């Protein structure tokens, strides 16, 4: 086999792609490995973009996932600032934006996701106002910087994790912050009402003006074409210097669908991360994969998922297949609160809290038919590993024991594991 016919090409140099490229080498691949990314820099950590990096307390250098020397040592050819435009499956090659081509024997698509664009009366989709921002890349943070200053009026659209994390950083930096959420409560898609209430009061105490049930009716622009004000469904007009839209993401599947791969809310893959073309794998935010714990297909937007799927793909390529079967998990930092979530709460029929929201230290368990399907830990890092075990166990647990702090979680996790 020539070097090129044994080549593994990884498309997308984010968390999943950077991990996959080096993991393929670690798992024993001897041929060429190329990592292609359209951003102009080495792969970097995205979570700090709405936390320490936005706050200005960490540097671009500190964001890097791996130093250049790590790619060199693993003999990973890193091609940044170049986009893969097309996959020619019949020739097993990719066509890049710099007009070069890359042959592959196996390809890994790690193309991630992009912010969902804000659509509203008064906005022209092809002409984004300079003070309307999204948050996905370091460039997005740089776009915000000039207006992210003390005293500025920041309007955040969407009270999901990114919106709330930015609200926390902005309050600390002395901005006036309003958050608009269309749902009747913050984090409505993912958290129980009691957890939403905790985060709402956390932000209100910090001075954030949170408005729930607020839909945008229209947006007015000033003479320079910047957003001047947002008008909500009840006629309220909110003026802003800077607007951040954090209304979810869209998986980047166009490359895959253009190549004829099966796509359905992400690139459809099996438990080994193989797409409908067995030589093309897909991992991270862009992949829709089966999860045996929940018995359904899911698409996750989290760093742990990106990293774990990368290792599954590398193992598969190197002839050591392992099925992906992890408990999804995620974290969020807001003010002095660390939230860690294990599992998926959709479909829960009972929420039980252990600890005390008033003291900012509690875990809320989500149960379905007596089984813990997910949990949110607030400032309870030491408990989190046990919580993950409880979710993975799929055993019924007496909710009263979960709430009773005199019963250790360790004993419950051990009992559930047998
Ligand atoms: C502000 C922010 C805060 C977050 N906070 C957390 C957190 O606290 N905890 C957590 O678990 N997760 C967090 N996430 C989510 C997490 O960052 C993502 O789940 C993770 O980045 C997914 O990794 P990925 O490699 O699949 O995609 P990405 O990191 O999006 O990487 C995909 C890369 O592929 C590139 N690309 C796409 N198409 C092509 C192409 N055709 N050719 C070349 N390159 C291409 C993209 O430009 C991008 O660089 C956060 C995300 C954001 C934006």
């Amino acid at each position: 086999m020539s070097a090129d016919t044994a080549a593994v090409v990884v498309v997308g140099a984010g968390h999943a792609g950077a991990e996959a490229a080096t993991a393929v080498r670690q798992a024993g691949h001897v041929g060429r490995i190329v990592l292609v990314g359209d951003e102009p820099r080495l792969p970097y950590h995205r979570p700090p973009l709405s936390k320490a990096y936005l706050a200005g307390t960490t540097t671009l250098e500190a964001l890097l996932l791996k130093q250049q020397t790590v790619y060199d040592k693993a003999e990973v050819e890193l091609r940044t600032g170049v986009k893969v435009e097309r996959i020619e499956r019949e020739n097993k090659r990719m066509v890049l934006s710099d007009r070069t081509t890359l042959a592959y024997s196996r390809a890994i698509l790690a193309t991630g996701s992009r912010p969902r664009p804000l659509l509203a009366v008064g906005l022209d989709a092809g002409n984004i106002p300079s003070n309307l921002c999204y948050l996905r890349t370091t460039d997005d943070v740089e776009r915000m910087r000039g207006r992210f200053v003390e005293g500025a009026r920041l309007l955040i659209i969407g009270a999901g994790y990114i919106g709330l994390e930015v609200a926390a950083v902005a309050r600390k930096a002395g901005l006036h912050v309003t958050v608009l959420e269309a749902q009747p409560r913050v984090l409505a898609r993912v958290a129980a009402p009691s957890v939403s209430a905790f985060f709402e009061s956390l932000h209100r105490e910090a001075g954030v003006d949170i408005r729930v049930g607020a839909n945008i009716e229209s947006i007015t622009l000033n003479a320079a074409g910047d957003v001047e004000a947002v008008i909500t469904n009840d006629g309220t007009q909110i003026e802003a210097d800077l607007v951040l839209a954090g209304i979810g993401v869209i998986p980047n599947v166009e490359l895959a669908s253009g190549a004829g791969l099966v796509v359905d809310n992400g690139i459809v893959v099996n438990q080994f991360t193989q797409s409908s073309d067995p030589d093309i794998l897909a991992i991270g935010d862009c992949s829709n994969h089966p999860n045996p714990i929940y018995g359904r297909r899911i698409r996750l937007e989290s760093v742990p998922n990106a990293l774990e799927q990368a290792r599954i793909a590398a193992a598969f390529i190197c002839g050591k297949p392992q099925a992906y079967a992890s408990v999804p998990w995620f974290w969020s930092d807001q003010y002095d609160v660390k939230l860690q979530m294990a599992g998926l709460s959709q479909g829960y029929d009972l929420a039980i809290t252990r600890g005390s929201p008033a003291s900012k230290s509690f875990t809320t368990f989500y149960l379905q038919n007596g089984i813990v399907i997910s949990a949110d830990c607030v400032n309870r890092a030491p408990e989190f590993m046990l919580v993950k075990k409880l979710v993975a166990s799929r055993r019924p647990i007496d909710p009263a024991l979960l709430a009773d702090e005199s019963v250790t979680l360790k004993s419950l996790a051990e009992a559930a594991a047998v």
Side-chain angles (χ1 to χ4, degrees):
M1 209 185 270
S2 79
D4 254 14
T5 53
V8 173
V9 175
V10 184
V11 185
H15 285 271
E19 183 67 17
T22 50
V24 168
R25 183 68 75 211
Q26 276 157 13
H29 180 74
V30 291
R32 190 178 184 200
I33 301 172
V34 189
L35 174 58
V36 186
D38 59 4
E39 290 187 65
R41 52 182 51 88
L42 288 179
Y44 56 88
H45 289 274
R46 269 182 222 289
L49 300 184
S50 51
K51 308 175 182 80
Y53 189 64
L54 180 63
T57 55
T58 192
T59 61
L60 198 50
E61 180 65 20
L63 288 193
L64 298 184
L65 287 165
K66 301 167 201 277
Q67 298 298 318
Q68 177 68 52
T69 49
V70 175
Y71 302 102
D72 294 344
K73 210 169 152 207
E75 294 183 61
V76 169
E77 296 168 44
L78 183 51
R79 297 186 57 181
T80 52
V82 192
K83 184 172 183 176
V84 173
E85 294 201 319
R86 200 168 72 242
I87 303 175
E88 294 177 357
R89 287 166 57 202
E90 60 287 8
N91 304 319
K92 291 196 99 166
R93 64 173 202 165
M94 304 200 183
V95 179
L96 278 58
S97 54
D98 62 2
R99 301 287 141 228
T100 58
T101 58
L102 273 175
Y104 67 87
S105 60
R106 289 269 171 70
I108 302 178
L109 305 185
T111 49
S113 53
R114 60 182 182 273
R116 184 180 298 284
L118 179 69
L119 304 173
V121 173
L123 278 184
D124 167 3
N127 200 0
I128 299 173
S130 66
N131 65 342
L132 169 58
C133 296
Y134 297 92
L135 192 44
R136 185 77 197 174
T137 65
T138 52
D139 286 351
D140 291 338
V141 177
E142 305 321 330
R143 271 192 76 214
M144 287 172 73
R145 288 247 193 253
R147 291 183 167 98
F148 199 85
V149 291
E150 189 172 358
R153 297 163 303 175
L154 169 65
L155 176 62
I156 297 172
I157 299 169
Y161 296 116
I162 289 180
L164 294 182
E165 287 180 354
V166 170
V169 173
R171 282 304 298 142
K172 276 193 184 166
L175 284 82
H176 302 286
V177 184
T178 305
V179 176
L180 295 185
E181 169 56 55
Q183 297 293 316
R185 57 191 174 87
V186 306
L187 301 175
R189 212 166 43 95
V190 287
S194 57
V195 177
S196 296
F198 171 80
F199 280 97
E200 271 180 40
S201 67
L202 184 72
H203 282 276
R204 290 208 165 104
E205 276 163 25
V208 178
D209 179 359
I210 295 190
R211 304 188 189 186
V212 294
N215 282 292
I216 295 175
E217 195 72 35
S218 62
I219 288 182
T220 55
L221 307 182
N222 63 18
D226 287 343
V227 175
E228 195 168 51
V230 168
I231 293 123
T232 60
N233 48 331
D234 64 359
T236 309
Q237 176 164 319
I238 304 158
E239 292 178 355
D241 302 306
L242 176 63
V243 180
L244 174 78
I247 52 173
V249 296
I250 299 172
N252 292 325
V253 295
E254 290 74 9
L255 189 63
S257 51
L261 303 182
V262 176
V263 165
D264 178 12
N265 179 30
I267 304 166
V268 173
V269 299
N270 66 13
Q271 70 273 37
F272 304 114
T273 73
Q274 278 177 300
S275 73
S276 52
D277 177 332
D279 289 331
I280 303 181
L281 287 66
I283 59 176
D285 279 19
C286 70
S287 93
N288 177 323
H289 57 274
N291 183 297
I293 297 169
Y294 295 97
R296 64 173 195 263
R297 290 194 153 272
I298 52 179
R299 192 180 64 72
L300 296 172
E301 294 150 16
S302 86
V303 168
N305 170 64
L307 299 180
E308 288 170 31
Q309 280 199 305
R311 291 171 205 137
I312 295 286
F316 180 80
I317 285 177
C318 296
K320 306 164 193 164
Q322 300 160 29
Y324 184 46
S326 294
V327 172
W329 68 277
F330 188 85
W331 77 92
S332 175
D333 299 324
Q334 296 167 41
Y335 310 102
D336 56 350
V337 167
K338 179 157 212 77
L339 169 67
Q340 293 166 293
M341 295 145 275
L344 303 171
S345 62
Q346 283 87 358
Y348 76 93
D349 50 41
L350 181 65
I352 291 285
T353 294
R354 177 186 184 88
S356 130
S359 65
K360 294 189 185 168
S361 168
F362 66 96
T363 295
T364 295
F365 294 94
Y366 300 81
L367 290 91
Q368 188 180 45
N369 302 324
I371 291 170
V372 178
I373 56 168
S374 124
D376 297 336
C377 297
V378 169
N379 288 339
R380 292 228 163 179
E383 265 181 22
F384 188 60
M385 287 309 290
L386 297 167
V387 163
K388 272 170 83 181
K389 281 188 186 154
L390 273 179
V391 174
S393 75
R394 305 290 294 169
R395 294 284 182 83
I397 296 188
D398 179 354
L401 296 179
L402 288 170
D404 183 351
E405 293 233 65
S406 70
V407 180
T408 65
L409 270 192
K410 191 161 182 272
S411 66
L412 294 178
E414 279 167 3
V418 286

